[in-house]
Structure formats: C-alpha cells, structure tokens
Amino acid sequence: MRIGLIGVGTVGGGVVEILESKSDFYKESLGLNIELALVCARSDEELAPFKEKGYPVTTDAMALIQDPSIEVLVELAGGYELPKKWIQAALEQGKHVVTANKALLAKYGHELFPLAKEKGVHILFEAAVGGGIPIIRSLQEAFVGNEVQSLSCIINGTANYILTRMSQEGLSFQEALQEAQEKGYAEADPTFDIEGIDAAHKTALLASLSSRTYVDFEKIYVSGISSLTSADIAFAKDLDCSIKLLGIYNKVEDQIDVRVHPCLVPNDHLLSSVNGVLNAVFLECDNLGPTLQTGAGAGKLPTASAVVADLVALSRYASKLPPIPMDFFQKETKANLLPISETKTRYYFRFTTQDSYGVLANITRVLAESRISIESIIQKGVQDPGKVSIVVITEKTIESRVNAAIEKIDALESVSDKSQVIRFLM
Ligand code: HSE
C-alpha cells in the first residue's frame, strides 16, 4: 500500500518513526507492505531530514494527490480550508484518507464522509480523538452490540494538564499552559485547547458516533477553562471534587444533550483520577454498562500510533484480509515466560508473633541475611493477648529471596501463625 504523507510536524514525524521501526513486523507477521511513497511539507527545510533518509519529497500537495500510484493520503497538516481541498481531491480520485484533523472533520465531515461513501473509499480518523486511545474504532466496531446512553470524556490533554498542574503543584494558569506548549500538547492556536473548542470538535465526533446522527459542533454549548482560578481549584478540593474540562453526551428521550464545559467531578468517580495529559472516555452502554478507556490523548508517538493503526486497518481492508489470525497461539511460538521465582516487586508481609523481647530483631535479621531491604514497618499495639501483628513493607526484591526468607521466619519460635505475603502492583 503506497501512502502519501502531507505534514511532517510532531505527529507526521512520529508516523514515519513508527513505520520504520515496525515495518518488519507488518511485513513478516501481518503480510502487509506499507510504503511511504511521498512526503510533502510546506518548505524544503522541513523536508530535509526525510530527503536525507531517502524518501521522495515534494512541496506540492496537489502533485502528491494527483500521483495515481498513491492509494492513501495521510493528512497531518492541520487547519481547515487547504486540507479540505486536498481530502476532497484525494477522495474524488478514489484514494483512502487517514487524518488526525478533528477540526476539519467536525466542521466538514458532513460533506467529506458522504463523498468517501460515493467514491467507495474510507476516511479513517482514529488519531483525531483521544490521541492513541482506540475510541473511534471501539465506537464503530467493538461497542456495536450496545447503545451508548451517555458519554463523559476528558478529551483535551492540554486542558487536563493545566488543571492537574494547577491542582497538584499550585502553578498559575499561564505557567501550566506554557509547560503544555513546551511539551508539544497544545494546538497551534492554544485558545482551541483552553476555550474548549478542540474538546468540542472531538465531543461532536464522539456524540455523532454514539448517536449515529450528524452532530454539528458549532451548535453545541462550549465553555473553556480560562476563567478558572486557584480559588476554584481550592474550593473544589474542599468539596472532595476535582475540576475537569468534560465533553458530555446524554441521550434524553428523543433528543441528545451534547456540551463541553468545566465540571466538578467527585473524587470517587473514575474520571477524577485521570490526570496530566491523559484523556479518558467514560461510557454508559445499555448492555455493557459502564466502561472506561484512558490513555495519552496528545503527543507525538501516542497520536502517531493511532495513525499507523488506521494505515494497518486500511491495508487489511484493501487486501480483503480477515481479522488478524491467532496463528501465534500454538506450540511453535510458545512464549518465554518469566518464572514467578524471578519476578521482582515490592511486598507486604504480615507476621503474627508472640509479644516478647527480640521478636522484631529476629525477623529483621532474617530479612537482612536474605538481602531484602525494608521500606517501612507498622505495628499497631498488641491485639489478642500475647499476639502481635507486624507489617513489613519491602523495597523491590526478587521473589526467590522472599520465599526463602518467609520459610525461615515462619520457623522462628516467636512467630505463631503462617505469615501473610501480598505483592504490590508497583
Ligand atoms: N491539543 C490537543 C490536546 C492535541 O491537548 O488534547 C490532541 O488533539
């Protein structure tokens, strides 16, 4: 499959990097040959690193689109009018399109999607919403046995990053915005991030997929985060809430309620712990019930990974391939499993001991001899008469040392019950 790429900014560069690093896997394991046939950017300067690597390059987007050997246009330039022209021209010529351009699709999708259908080609846009989170394909395919009744999403990484840094580090709005821009999360025009416009583009697309209707983003209520102050952040904490910029979709009888605005989210809701540049989409479905997808919603490689997933999907559709077969699930390709004795983690040990002199010293001696480093120790008084619970938290250690040490400790005269061992997640 020969692809033409327009736009070599953050995400475009990431796409080239991933295609290069994974091409052997796509060829050998998936039987796909995805070839970057032409790279286009506005200036020779931007194209120089790609030319150096041997890719054919051009500054003429229309020449790329008119090249009959190119089957897929990957549009990663951003903006509205020019990309619209390119995509229309590509579709007219029977080319598939992969884009991360949520603004364009929210504004002109009602023209572009029907054109793609008429021409018998696809527009794939996984990277347009939620960066690397596969929410588009989930709504199109995986959730198809459900009706989405409501959706709440943290869908702008920059806004979430700003609110998190204000809340956790006490940064001012401006300081946090500057950090997000330096990290490459923000849109070229950051008002799109902070005024909720980018979130509205994405929410309109998610609401369309959920309701299977055309949701015009210009008609949805949008309010951003720029008027929030550290006082609001502090009062939210008093209310045991976090403030999040949310995209919201609800089915209300025969209408749909779609809006984007800052929300007080109770701290026991799953969305309240989605911090930093992370995005998350929380759905309530009729059959599945509640479900959450979360991950990096912005940034070079996360977003590029979604573009590449679209290219692989297109390549498979074009080759009429069935779902990726499970032919690796057989004896010949057996996994090399790490034995449990070689795993490394932190541990919680609860020892039940007699209440007598030197018990703790005996236990810690065994741990020291076993080269297990202690992170903390808890003893909360004496429980049953004569019995004490001592909890030891270890630093990361190897399981085989733990087994040997626990055996020795359980054999100590002062230890009365079998010791409890629980591994930490991290
Ligand atoms: N500016 C966007 C964000 C980038 O912060 O989420 C990904 O669309």
Side-chain angles (χ1 to χ4, degrees):
M1 190 176 73
R2 283 170 59 82
I3 67 170
L5 167 66
I6 305 183
V8 292
T10 312
V11 180
V15 169
V16 177
E17 216 173 297
I18 297 178
L19 285 177
E20 284 172 353
S21 67
K22 305 227 182 294
S23 77
D24 286 352
F25 165 62
Y26 298 145
K27 266 186 211 143
E28 284 152 30
S29 301
L30 305 183
L32 306 173
N33 189 3
I34 300 172
E35 187 191 338
L36 186 51
L38 191 52
V39 181
C40 173
R42 272 168 303 193
S43 69
D44 290 330
E45 210 180 358
E46 284 173 281
L47 288 167
F50 299 90
K51 197 172 174 185
E52 219 165 85
K53 284 182 174 178
Y55 292 109
V57 297
T58 180
T59 49
D60 182 354
M62 273 303 172
L64 181 151
I65 289 158
Q66 277 154 7
D67 180 338
S69 75
I70 290 178
E71 300 159 78
V72 183
L73 165 65
V74 180
E75 184 278 307
L76 298 173
Y80 292 106
E81 301 309 327
L82 271 177
K84 184 189 177 200
K85 260 193 222 155
W86 298 331
I87 291 178
Q88 270 172 331
L91 296 173
E92 292 282 0
Q93 299 196 23
K95 294 188 198 315
H96 301 291
V97 171
V98 172
T99 181
N101 196 333
K102 56 267 167 168
L104 176 75
L105 293 178
K107 193 164 174 179
Y108 293 122
H110 63 291
E111 294 176 35
L112 298 173
F113 290 118
L115 180 60
K117 188 172 179 197
E118 187 193 319
K119 299 293 170 188
V121 288
H122 303 285
I123 302 174
L124 299 193
F125 56 103
E126 189 60 78
V129 183
I133 307 172
I135 186 63
I136 302 296
R137 199 151 299 121
S138 296
L139 286 168
Q140 284 172 326
E141 295 178 15
F143 292 127
V144 82
N146 290 275
E147 180 184 66
V148 178
Q149 290 162 327
S150 75
L151 176 154
S152 326
C153 59
I154 294 175
I155 209 67
N156 182 271
T158 302
N160 204 42
Y161 185 85
I162 291 171
L163 293 174
T164 304
R165 298 288 287 161
M166 285 173 77
S167 166
Q168 293 182 348
E169 305 297 328
L171 295 193
S172 71
F173 181 85
Q174 277 309 328
E175 285 167 333
L177 171 62
Q178 197 182 330
E179 269 191 15
Q181 284 176 302
E182 282 162 10
K183 288 175 184 276
Y185 303 145
E187 295 299 300
D189 176 355
T191 54
F192 273 40
D193 297 298
I194 60 184
E195 298 306 347
I197 302 158
D198 175 72
H201 290 143
K202 295 166 177 169
T203 302
L205 292 169
L206 294 180
S208 284
L209 285 162
S210 302
S211 62
R212 303 195 172 276
T213 59
Y214 160 45
V215 177
D216 181 350
F217 97 97
E218 281 173 19
K219 298 277 177 332
I220 66 185
Y221 174 84
V222 182
S223 150
I225 60 166
S226 59
S227 71
L228 296 176
T229 66
S230 39
D232 298 314
I233 305 272
F235 281 119
K237 280 187 186 166
D238 288 347
L239 294 165
D240 210 13
C241 286
S242 317
I243 301 183
K244 298 287 184 193
L245 178 67
L246 292 191
I248 292 174
Y249 160 81
N250 288 304
K251 203 168 174 290
V252 187
E253 292 169 9
D254 60 347
Q255 285 187 301
I256 60 171
D257 160 31
V258 187
R259 48 201 155 92
V260 170
H261 51 73
C263 252
L264 284 158
V265 180
N267 283 337
D268 59 2
H269 190 287
L270 285 171
L271 286 177
S272 89
S273 56
V274 175
N275 286 321
V277 74
L278 282 182
N279 279 194
V281 182
F282 182 77
L283 298 174
E284 292 271 1
C285 299
D286 57 351
N287 294 317
L288 175 63
T291 174
L292 178 78
Q293 290 199 16
T294 183
K300 178 179 176 177
L301 292 176
T303 310
S305 76
V307 173
V308 172
D310 278 348
L311 289 172
V312 169
L314 266 183
S315 187
R316 294 184 63 80
Y317 301 154
S319 324
K320 296 200 167 44
L321 290 170
I324 292 177
M326 290 290 287
D327 52 5
F328 50 82
F329 205 82
Q330 56 182 339
K331 280 190 210 142
E332 288 71 24
T333 41
K334 211 169 188 180
N336 180 8
L337 279 178
L338 186 73
I340 185 76
S341 57
E342 287 174 34
T343 56
K344 280 186 191 149
T345 178
R346 291 162 64 228
Y347 289 84
Y348 156 106
F349 303 143
R350 181 172 53 76
F351 304 114
T352 310
T353 71
Q354 293 162 7
D355 182 19
S356 60
Y357 303 109
V359 171
L360 193 56
N362 286 339
I363 291 175
T364 54
R365 194 184 53 250
V366 175
L367 293 176
E369 284 166 3
S370 311
R371 288 183 297 141
I372 295 173
S373 181
I374 296 169
E375 189 182 288
S376 56
I377 298 184
I378 312 166
Q379 183 189 326
K380 290 187 175 163
V382 177
Q383 289 82 43
D384 298 342
K387 266 198 178 182
V388 179
S389 277
I390 298 170
V391 168
V392 171
I393 311 295
T394 75
E395 290 177 9
K396 248 189 186 177
T397 184
I398 190 159
E399 176 99 8
S400 54
R401 286 186 198 165
V402 169
N403 293 341
I406 295 294
E407 230 171 82
K408 284 185 194 155
I409 290 172
D410 282 354
L412 294 173
E413 219 173 281
S414 49
V415 172
S416 44
D417 297 357
K418 194 173 160 9
S419 302
Q420 174 70 282
V421 176
I422 306 178
R423 295 167 193 85
F424 275 84
L425 175 61
M426 294 182 292

